Amino acid sequence: MRGAAGGTWYVKAHQNDKFHDREVRALRTWAGSLGSAAPRLVAADADLRAVVITALPGRPLHGRILAPAREREVFRRIGVLARRIHEASPPRPAPAGSGPAVAKADRHLEAERPHLAPGEEEFVRELIHQAEDLAPLEWVETHGDFQFRNILHADADTPYDSEDSEDSEDSVAVIDLERSEPGPAVRDLVRLSDAWANRPDLYEAFMDGYGRPLTAAEEARLVIDTALDAVSGIQFGAAHGDPELVERGHRTLARLRAEHEANSSAGDPS
């Protein structure tokens, strides 16, 4: 919507009550701590399952091509943004039974067996078995769908009215908070991990912005959650005619399997 006297807002209608409640909660709580890096809630209507939010400058990072040095700076800023989301409220103990979504993954594996490549189901089931021994991770606020489609990039050529002058170039902001809910911090790294596959410099830039390394437990949980998300993506993409999502799922599983095999070989004394 554009105002007669200027100004732009977006009206978003949610698919169901759960998405509406999650986005409204996020906009009323942790999103405010991000300042100009997240939209502001103008109005919400539970009956219509709709919100009115402020517009943000920039374009989604999905499909953008940046010079390597600039790309690293953008990833560092994404790391900063992730840290600000996760530190928006104090961490809390994970509720009982809140580990990886293995039951959902088992249903997806059964349904998507014809779409899986040889060895993929066995690999994921091995990870599911390993998940049984994982210690629970603390819960923090998470975006829940932290990927390029939902991260806006405003470069030097984009007008950006920011409270922080250092954000005047290569700023990032986050949109689409309908999957936001408390969970382990690595939940927000799952869909970014495909972006830094074969680009350790981008991972290092992200972690530099994030401000701390992952713990061993977080690294193990990230591998499992990434594999489960890949299976879910293959299932959703096949059902909705999204070949890009299917390809990303297979690519992710192939990468995780290669890394798993390399680590297993390195640890084999023979």
Side-chain angles (χ1 to χ4, degrees):
M1 300 189 304
R2 299 186 184 278
T8 303
W9 300 265
Y10 283 92
V11 179
K12 180 178 181 180
H14 296 99
Q15 297 179 12
N16 53 54
D17 291 337
K18 179 184 289 187
F19 285 171
H20 177 77
D21 293 343
R22 286 174 174 174
E23 183 137 21
V24 170
R25 175 191 173 275
L27 289 167
R28 286 177 173 167
T29 56
W30 61 260
S33 67
L34 303 187
S36 59
R40 296 191 302 275
L41 181 65
V42 177
D45 189 309
D47 293 332
L48 296 176
R49 294 201 300 259
V51 293
V52 180
I53 57 176
T54 56
L56 295 175
R59 293 180 292 162
L61 273 169
H62 180 70
R64 299 204 67 179
I65 299 176
L66 303 173
R70 196 169 193 183
E71 198 172 16
R72 287 190 290 272
E73 175 58 18
V74 168
F75 268 77
R76 187 189 70 80
R77 289 177 178 266
I78 294 174
V80 171
L81 181 58
R83 182 184 68 205
R84 291 170 65 185
I85 294 172
H86 299 162
E87 294 180 350
S89 63
R92 70 211 76 170
S98 60
V102 295
K104 181 188 295 185
D106 190 65
R107 294 196 301 271
H108 287 166
L109 286 171
E110 291 290 339
E112 292 310 306
R113 186 170 290 129
H115 300 285
L116 296 176
E120 287 183 342
E121 180 178 356
E122 292 77 10
F123 171 66
V124 175
R125 290 196 182 279
E126 180 182 349
L127 292 181
I128 290 175
H129 179 70
Q130 294 176 10
E132 297 174 357
D133 299 325
L134 285 183
L137 300 176
E138 285 186 324
W139 275 23
V140 297
E141 298 291 353
T142 70
H143 178 277
D145 196 12
F146 207 53
Q147 58 173 311
F148 278 2
R149 296 179 187 274
N150 297 328
I151 299 174
L152 300 184
H153 173 232
D155 56 30
D157 300 324
T158 303
Y160 201 91
D161 184 13
S162 172
E163 298 174 359
D164 190 346
S165 59
E166 77 169 0
D167 286 343
S168 60
E169 295 184 3
D170 286 320
S171 296
V172 296
V174 67
I175 57 173
D176 283 349
L177 315 185
E178 63 186 30
R179 297 183 186 274
S180 170
E181 60 182 345
V186 292
R187 182 172 186 247
D188 282 339
L189 275 63
V190 167
R191 294 184 177 177
L192 284 178
S193 62
D194 184 61
W196 56 56
N198 303 315
R199 286 290 304 276
D201 59 323
L202 298 184
Y203 176 75
E204 292 171 3
F206 175 89
M207 297 309 297
D208 179 56
Y210 195 58
R212 69 167 180 86
L214 299 181
T215 65
E218 286 178 319
E219 290 179 345
R221 176 68 182 266
L222 178 59
V223 170
I224 293 172
D225 283 1
T226 301
L228 300 185
D229 185 73
V231 173
S232 177
I234 293 171
Q235 189 272 335
F236 185 90
H240 294 82
D242 189 338
E244 180 182 359
L245 198 55
V246 173
E247 169 57 28
R248 186 178 72 179
H250 287 302
R251 184 172 64 243
T252 297
L253 290 178
R255 171 174 59 84
L256 293 176
R257 290 176 66 188
E259 293 172 354
H260 179 75
E261 292 171 1
N263 291 336
S264 297
S265 300
D268 187 349
S270 62

